[in-house]
Amino acid sequence: MKLITTLILAAGTLLATNTTLAPATVNKTESTVTWKAEKVTGKHWGYVPISDAQLDVAGGKITGGSFEMDMTNLTVEDLTDPKSKGNLTNHLKSDDFFSVEKFNKSTFKIKEAKTTNGTDYTISGDLTIKGTTQPVSFPAKVSVSGKELTATGEITFDRTKFDIKYRSSNFFEDLADKAIYDEVKLEVKLVATI
C-alpha cells in the first residue's frame, strides 16, 4: 500500500512540475501593445508589435512570463496625413525618444503575479527600454475560455527614467505648450493557448 501511495504522489508531483514548466503559446498576431502619450496640446497613440512572448501558466493562473516589443516597427495611428505620420514615427525612433537604431527591442519580464481569484492580478516585473531596466507594477485582468487565456493590463511608466527627456518640463524650462508629459501608457493584451 505504501508503494502505491508513493507512486501516486510521485506521479502527481511530476505532472504538477510539467504543468508549471510548460509555457503557454502566445498568439503574436492576436496580441497587441498600444502606446499612448500626451502633450500640453494633445495626444498620440499607436502600436508596437510583439516580436516574442511567453506566459507561464499553472492551474489556469499566470505564474510568470515575458514579452518583447519590436521598436523598429512602432507605428503612429492617430494621424492620417502621411507626411505628419511619417515625421512623428521617425522622430519617435530617433535619439530624442527610443533610439531604435541602437535599441531595437524593449522587454517586460514578470517577476511576480499575485491573484486571489484567478481573474484580477497585480503584475510586478522589469521593464527594459533603451537598455535601462526599471521595476513596474500594474493591475491586470485574466480570462480563460476553453484553452484560450487572455490577459490585459495597462503599464504606466515615467519615460525620463529610461533616458527619454525630450521636452520634459522636469528637465527643460520655458517649454510652455511645447511640453510633453512624462507618463507613457502601454495597453497590453496577450492571447495564449494553454
Side-chain angles (χ1 to χ4, degrees):
M1 190 64 162
K2 283 184 180 178
L3 178 61
I4 293 171
T5 305
T6 304
L7 288 173
I8 290 170
L9 288 172
T13 304
L14 183 62
L15 288 172
T17 303
N18 286 343
T19 303
T20 303
L21 294 176
T25 304
V26 177
N27 184 329
K28 290 183 286 189
T29 56
E30 286 185 42
S31 301
T32 57
V33 175
T34 305
W35 65 266
K36 292 183 176 181
E38 296 187 23
K39 54 186 180 177
V40 174
T41 56
K43 54 189 170 183
H44 293 293
W45 70 275
Y47 296 112
V48 188
I50 293 174
S51 51
D52 193 22
Q54 74 170 52
L55 283 175
D56 300 324
V57 179
K61 293 180 180 177
I62 294 174
T63 58
S66 62
F67 63 88
E68 180 181 82
M69 296 168 278
D70 175 8
M71 302 305 290
T72 60
N73 288 303
L74 172 148
T75 68
V76 174
E77 298 298 329
D78 62 289
L79 298 176
T80 53
D81 174 62
K83 186 177 179 185
S84 299
K85 188 173 186 167
N87 287 342
L88 179 56
T89 303
N90 290 334
H91 195 193
L92 290 173
K93 292 179 181 182
S94 77
D95 288 340
D96 282 342
F97 290 97
F98 294 104
S99 302
V100 166
E101 279 193 21
K102 297 176 205 161
F103 305 100
N104 57 10
K105 305 288 184 196
S106 294
T107 60
F108 177 75
K109 181 170 179 55
I110 296 172
K111 294 287 189 183
E112 187 175 51
K114 288 184 179 176
T115 183
T116 55
N117 58 14
T119 301
D120 302 296
Y121 282 77
T122 299
I123 303 288
S124 301
D126 290 335
L127 179 63
T128 302
I129 297 172
K130 288 182 74 172
T132 298
T133 301
Q134 292 286 335
V136 295
S137 290
F138 60 95
K141 291 269 190 191
V142 174
S143 62
V144 177
S145 177
K147 292 275 187 189
E148 186 175 88
L149 179 146
T150 303
T152 57
E154 184 177 87
I155 300 171
T156 301
F157 67 92
D158 179 345
R159 65 187 176 94
T160 64
K161 290 184 177 179
F162 297 90
D163 196 30
I164 305 170
K165 298 172 183 170
Y166 182 78
R167 288 195 186 166
S168 167
S169 58
N170 286 324
F171 292 89
F172 300 96
E173 295 179 6
D174 304 322
L175 288 172
D177 65 356
K178 295 190 184 299
I180 300 170
Y181 299 128
D182 293 341
E183 272 195 357
V184 177
K185 295 184 188 320
L186 297 177
E187 292 182 356
V188 181
K189 177 184 175 186
L190 296 179
V191 180
T193 304
I194 56 175

